[in-house]
Amino acid sequence: MAKGNNTKKERRFTKKMQIKLLAVFAFILFILVILLLRIAHINVKSGKRYAKQVLSQENYDSKTLYSRRGEIQDKNGRLLAYSEKQYDVVLDCYAVNLHEDEEKYDEYVDATAEVLEEVFDLDKSEIKDIIKDEKKKYSQYQVVLENITEDQKDEYEEYVSLDEDRELSDEERRKLEKVTGIWFEETFVRKYPMNSLASNVIGFSNEVGDGICGLESYYDEMLKGTDGRVFGYLNENQEYQKRTIAPQNGYTLQSTIDVNIQQIIEKYIAEFDEEYGTDHDDGTAKHGAKTVGVVAMDPNSGAILGMATNSSFDLNDPYDLTAWYTPSELKAMTNEEYVEALNGMWKNFCVTDGFEPGSTVKPITVASALECGAITTETPFYCDGGELVTDTTIHCDNVYGHGEETLADAIKNSCNDALMAIGRAMGVSRFVEYQALFNFGKITGIDLPNEATGAVYTQKGMNEVELATCSFGQGFTCTMVQEIAAFCSVVNGGYYYQPHVVDKILDEDGKVIRSMDSLLLKQTISADVSETLKGYLENAVKNGTGRKSQVPGYRTGGKTGTAEKINPETGKRWAGKYLVSFIGAAPINDPEIVIYVIVDEPNVADQAVSTYAQTIFRKIATEVLPYMNIYPTEEVTDELLNLLGLSRSDIVEDTKQTFDAMDSYGNYHTRVYVNEAGVVVASDGTPIEGAYVRDDGTVVDAYANEVGVVEGQSQTVDKTLDPKVDNPDMATPPAEDTGDPEDSAVWDAAANPAEMDDQEAD
């Protein structure tokens, strides 16, 4: 009985619970219906307003914050490249068309179009067509004007301002209230204030901010920075919030390029092109040679002070080929030919092209032979005009022979015969070893893209003929950067510095992130051998084949080069086609600058004359040395001026010879000179205690050391300059090798700061 009563109670309880659940469900359903009705009411009455607000947040709050690409400066902080903040004017057609069903729709369209016309001089009717166009009316992103300045943007914002303090009529205020859908997208435009200056070194970046060539390409990751972002989201309370991730701007590169030196270099390249270029009267640039290249380097650090070719271009318009090709030539180009023409204009010959250097290598060969003990300064030589090497006749430039020669004479006369004897004394093994020590056949690691390695013979591939011709610079190839870096180590005491174009990397606050100055990689020769070679090189300029390179008032030393080229079609020596060059250092007793000049196939009947390169060197050095506060020290004779074709007005005025001297307190002074009163003074004009000038002009310091002579002695001039004979049977270089970057112990200056720290720790 009790069991039956319990069952009835359970059934009644269950029924009551079902009724309660049904009531709760009905209540919830009722609430949902009310909410849905409310939402429908809001959507009908204010849906467009809320949609516009969401769209506004989407357009203005969810966007990319572009990073600013880092600057490129010269060594003195002068801007070579920078990014200017600009804006694109964007029209949100959908935001304007939200009013399509309203009575005053046309007023919104008119107000928006009129503002764009008034402020930005855009055509009102064209703007209205964009807004109403069936294909664009729902677009939220229509760029109607690109690259306006911040001042123009501010002008717009001031024009549409509804600030209560602004005096506006009711009609003007109502009109401005209807302006909608206009916003600004921040962007950066790359600017190059020096236009074409150092264009092949600096390079450029494209519209999307990627570096294409030069420093812009090599340091692209460090220059470009990291974009930021602004985006909106709903928090846990369904409140709209905005979050900003700030962009990280790119690093600034402070280069080693000196704008003043660069301008001097480019001025004389342009002068050569103007003088020797053929005028076709077609509006295109003249070329005085197939290629003219100049590199100026600080021999005591490896810093590139200037680098240029005669294939410069406007960095602000890098795709413009009209300076080099006529309209008909451009029209006839295929896409492949157009790209090839651009790459040919953008490339940096000084880094990317290998060539046979010729006699500018002779000082390196001599230095190597002295260092390894294959010869001494007393070793005699005899030149009879050439050598028969196995079955190949190789001529000296002087077909009649130089006769008996000293080692100094071999450099002065640029004697192939003597250099072949030196190469033979070294032997293949040591010759190849020293070529590698001077970094031929390897990249230097310069911080510019597409560096070539040149092509050199291996020990197995080099035989007697190859050894003979390579000893005087024919039979292997190198780049201008390789040659100047090797030559610098010959004249700076034997120290091989890595060539570099960037000195420091700075953050946007100017803090130094990394300094790349003076990266010493190795020692090639001893200081004693270096001193000997400097004497030989000075003698070669005063009395040898380099006399046309002399800079009046200065002690310089250097070496000419005249390399017979190879016909690419036949693979044999090309009679009459030459690459001429000159490399020189100043002041040769304590070099502060080395300048290397290449003139590839000068536009003249007789190309085998290095005078063209020597003259460019002299003109550049004549302006650069005073700029660098390097004072003249030598007497300028009438004979020298006659040789160079100059007058007194062409040389540096107020020349003064400088000396090193000790004062009576034991202090050592450099750049001491004798003032107009005949007093020996320091570079700042302070008298040197105990130093004086004898009656014969000899300058004596406080310790009775004869440190100089006020008046120098004139030199006799040999009128026979630059003899040259063809050598059709000379060995040709091995096949060009692009090289492996891992093949050289060089530091990668393009690494990121964090990675650089790890490298330094290793």
Side-chain angles (χ1 to χ4, degrees):
M1 189 69 178
K3 185 176 180 181
N5 289 335
N6 288 338
T7 302
K8 290 179 181 180
K9 288 180 180 179
E10 289 174 357
R11 284 199 296 268
R12 285 197 299 270
F13 178 77
T14 301
K15 188 175 182 179
K16 287 180 180 179
M17 290 300 296
Q18 289 174 343
I19 292 170
K20 287 182 179 180
L21 289 173
L22 184 60
V24 170
F25 177 75
F27 177 76
I28 292 173
L29 184 61
F30 176 73
I31 295 298
L32 288 174
V33 170
I34 291 175
L35 288 174
L36 289 173
L37 290 173
R38 178 60 177 163
I39 290 170
H41 175 74
I42 291 172
N43 190 47
V44 170
K45 185 177 181 180
S46 308
K48 290 182 179 178
R49 179 165 62 88
Y50 287 119
K52 184 177 179 182
Q53 180 177 344
V54 171
L55 287 171
S56 174
Q57 292 169 344
E58 187 174 305
N59 284 323
Y60 292 101
D61 295 339
S62 297
K63 62 180 181 180
T64 299
L65 298 178
Y66 294 104
S67 60
R68 184 192 294 269
R69 192 171 179 85
E71 296 176 350
I72 301 177
Q73 305 172 351
D74 89 329
K75 67 177 297 184
N76 299 311
R78 191 166 178 179
L79 279 180
L80 301 175
Y82 69 97
S83 292
E84 181 177 85
K85 183 186 288 187
Q86 295 188 349
Y87 300 86
D88 292 342
V89 182
V90 181
L91 179 59
D92 183 347
C93 298
Y94 189 43
V96 182
N97 284 311
L98 285 173
H99 304 280
E100 189 173 359
D101 297 329
E102 297 183 4
E103 295 178 0
K104 298 182 178 180
Y105 163 66
D106 285 336
E107 295 182 12
Y108 284 90
V109 176
D110 288 340
T112 302
E114 285 177 12
V115 164
L116 291 173
E117 184 177 63
E118 289 292 328
V119 179
F120 300 117
D121 200 27
L122 297 174
D123 188 272
K124 175 181 175 180
S125 60
E126 291 182 4
I127 297 297
K128 293 171 71 173
D129 289 342
I130 293 173
I131 295 172
K132 295 181 178 182
D133 186 278
E134 286 298 322
K135 294 181 179 179
K136 299 176 182 176
K137 64 188 299 183
Y138 297 111
S139 170
Q140 297 173 255
Y141 188 86
Q142 287 293 316
V143 178
V144 294
L145 186 61
E146 294 181 330
N147 300 335
I148 68 166
T149 65
E150 195 153 12
D151 288 341
Q152 289 175 293
K153 174 178 174 288
D154 292 342
E155 181 185 349
Y156 165 82
E157 291 173 346
E158 183 179 347
Y159 187 92
V160 300
S161 171
L162 294 172
D163 195 297
E164 294 180 357
D165 296 334
R166 188 178 177 197
E167 294 183 4
L168 291 171
S169 67
D170 292 341
E171 183 181 352
E172 289 173 328
R173 192 171 292 275
R174 283 193 299 271
K175 183 178 178 180
L176 291 177
E177 285 175 347
K178 294 180 175 62
V179 175
T180 187
I182 300 172
W183 58 285
F184 300 90
E185 183 173 49
E186 183 181 286
T187 186
F188 291 97
V189 176
R190 199 67 166 164
K191 300 281 188 178
Y192 300 93
M194 307 298 289
N195 297 316
S196 63
L197 189 78
S199 56
N200 302 106
V201 177
I202 299 169
F204 66 96
S205 61
N206 61 18
E207 292 180 353
V208 296
D210 293 328
I212 300 301
C213 58
L215 293 174
E216 291 275 27
S217 171
Y218 192 88
Y219 286 97
D220 187 44
E221 290 301 316
M222 304 198 74
L223 284 165
K224 66 172 39 176
T226 305
D227 291 340
R229 184 79 179 169
V230 174
F231 57 91
Y233 63 95
L234 294 175
N235 64 16
E236 58 185 7
N237 297 320
Q238 299 302 299
E239 296 172 336
Y240 181 83
Q241 293 190 346
K242 183 172 70 173
R243 184 182 178 191
T244 300
I245 299 177
Q248 294 182 353
N249 292 329
Y251 292 110
T252 290
L253 307 181
Q254 187 172 75
S255 74
T256 60
I257 298 294
D258 188 312
V259 161
N260 296 300
I261 294 176
Q262 185 73 26
Q263 288 175 326
I264 293 168
I265 289 172
E266 294 193 15
K267 177 174 73 173
Y268 287 112
I269 290 177
E271 180 183 275
F272 180 86
D273 275 344
E274 181 65 26
E275 182 176 356
Y276 294 100
T278 302
D279 190 355
H280 297 291
D281 197 25
D282 56 15
T284 58
K286 297 179 183 180
H287 274 286
K290 180 180 178 181
T291 301
V292 179
V294 178
V295 181
M297 180 184 283
D298 179 351
N300 303 305
S301 69
I304 302 294
L305 304 175
M307 176 184 285
T309 72
N310 62 340
S311 183
S312 62
F313 58 95
D314 186 351
L315 292 169
N316 292 303
D317 191 8
Y319 297 95
D320 181 14
L321 287 167
T322 57
W324 306 108
Y325 300 91
T326 64
S328 59
E329 288 173 332
L330 289 171
K331 187 176 181 180
M333 283 183 181
T334 64
N335 288 336
E336 291 76 11
E337 289 171 337
Y338 176 73
V339 171
E340 185 179 353
L342 285 175
N343 287 328
M345 182 174 68
W346 295 341
K347 77 171 183 177
N348 186 346
F349 171 86
C350 306
V351 175
T352 64
D353 285 41
F355 55 88
E356 292 179 273
S359 297
T360 56
V361 163
K362 289 176 179 175
I364 298 167
T365 302
V366 170
S368 301
L370 286 172
E371 186 67 28
C372 71
I375 60 171
T376 71
T377 56
E378 304 302 321
T379 301
F381 300 94
Y382 183 80
C383 172
D384 58 5
E387 291 286 336
L388 179 64
V389 182
T390 62
D391 58 351
T392 302
T393 300
I394 303 174
H395 299 289
C396 183
D397 288 349
N398 184 343
V399 70
Y400 301 107
H402 295 107
E404 295 183 357
E405 294 179 299
T406 65
L407 187 57
D409 292 333
I411 293 291
K412 180 192 74 173
N413 298 328
S414 195
C415 179
N416 290 350
D417 212 343
L419 265 292
M420 286 188 280
I422 292 170
R424 190 164 56 248
M426 289 184 69
V428 169
S429 177
R430 284 191 293 191
F431 186 86
V432 170
E433 177 187 345
Y434 272 87
Q435 267 198 322
L437 182 62
F438 279 99
N439 230 68
F440 293 111
K442 303 178 181 181
I443 62 170
T444 65
I446 190 173
D447 45 350
L448 287 171
N450 305 318
E451 181 185 5
T453 62
V456 298
Y457 282 98
T458 62
Q459 186 170 336
K460 289 183 178 180
M462 180 176 282
N463 297 307
E464 289 91 340
V465 173
E466 290 78 19
L467 174 62
T469 61
C470 287
S471 68
F472 58 81
Q474 299 232 213
F476 73 95
T477 63
C478 68
T479 65
M480 289 190 74
V481 170
Q482 284 177 319
E483 167 64 15
I484 195 171
F487 184 88
C488 283
S489 75
V490 169
V491 299
N492 71 5
Y495 303 106
Y496 188 98
Y497 291 97
Q498 184 178 42
H500 59 282
V501 188
V502 169
D503 183 30
K504 296 181 179 68
I505 299 176
L506 315 171
D507 65 16
E508 58 183 320
D509 297 321
K511 179 183 176 183
V512 177
I513 301 300
R514 174 66 56 171
S515 176
M516 277 87 81
D517 188 39
S518 303
L519 184 64
L520 178 62
L521 295 181
K522 51 192 169 184
Q523 184 159 7
T524 55
I525 56 175
S526 67
D528 288 342
V529 171
S530 176
E531 283 297 319
T532 298
L533 264 295
K534 286 192 291 185
Y536 293 166
L537 292 167
E538 184 172 21
N539 184 44
V541 165
K542 284 184 175 181
N543 305 305
T545 59
R547 291 195 291 280
K548 287 283 189 177
S549 72
Q550 293 180 81
V551 182
Y554 290 90
R555 292 178 64 184
T556 60
K559 187 69 191 72
T560 55
T562 310
E564 191 172 1
K565 297 188 67 175
I566 297 172
N567 188 329
E569 294 182 1
T570 64
K572 296 181 179 179
R573 292 293 164 183
W574 204 347
K577 295 289 186 180
Y578 288 90
L579 181 148
V580 296
S581 57
F582 182 80
I583 190 165
I588 189 59
N589 56 309
D590 186 17
E592 295 188 44
I593 187 171
V594 170
I595 302 172
Y596 186 24
V597 181
I598 285 285
V599 181
D600 184 10
E601 295 184 29
N603 188 28
V604 294
D606 183 9
Q607 295 184 359
V609 180
S610 68
T611 299
Y612 303 113
Q614 293 185 57
T615 302
I616 294 173
F617 168 88
R618 173 177 57 77
K619 290 179 176 180
I620 292 171
T622 298
E623 286 196 37
V624 166
L625 295 175
Y627 166 73
M628 295 178 65
N629 294 320
I630 301 173
Y631 300 112
T633 59
E634 308 302 300
E635 180 190 15
V636 180
T637 66
D638 291 335
E639 285 180 288
L640 176 59
L641 294 177
N642 290 335
L643 172 69
L644 301 176
L646 301 175
S647 65
R648 291 283 169 183
S649 62
D650 296 321
I651 65 175
V652 179
E653 296 180 357
D654 300 325
T655 61
K656 52 188 174 188
Q657 301 176 60
T658 63
F659 322 97
D660 295 346
M662 300 280 286
D663 64 21
S664 57
Y665 303 105
N667 299 315
Y668 187 79
H669 299 268
T670 60
R671 294 182 178 173
V672 171
Y673 65 96
V674 179
N675 66 15
E676 295 178 356
V679 178
V680 182
V681 298
S683 57
D684 61 359
T686 305
I688 300 296
E689 188 72 29
Y692 64 97
V693 182
R694 291 177 182 162
D695 292 339
D696 62 0
T698 303
V699 181
V700 181
D701 71 5
Y703 283 70
N705 297 310
E706 296 181 356
V707 295
V709 179
V710 175
E711 296 181 358
Q713 300 296 319
S714 62
Q715 298 288 340
T716 58
V717 177
D718 183 356
K719 297 180 180 179
T720 306
L721 298 175
D722 254 337
K724 187 67 186 177
V725 296
D726 290 333
N727 263 314
D729 298 322
M730 276 194 299
T732 58
E736 189 73 21
D737 183 8
T738 56
D740 182 355
E742 299 299 327
D743 190 35
S744 184
V746 297
W747 173 58
D748 181 9
N752 289 322
E755 296 173 352
M756 286 192 275
D757 291 338
D758 293 339
Q759 290 176 5
E760 196 170 53
D762 293 340

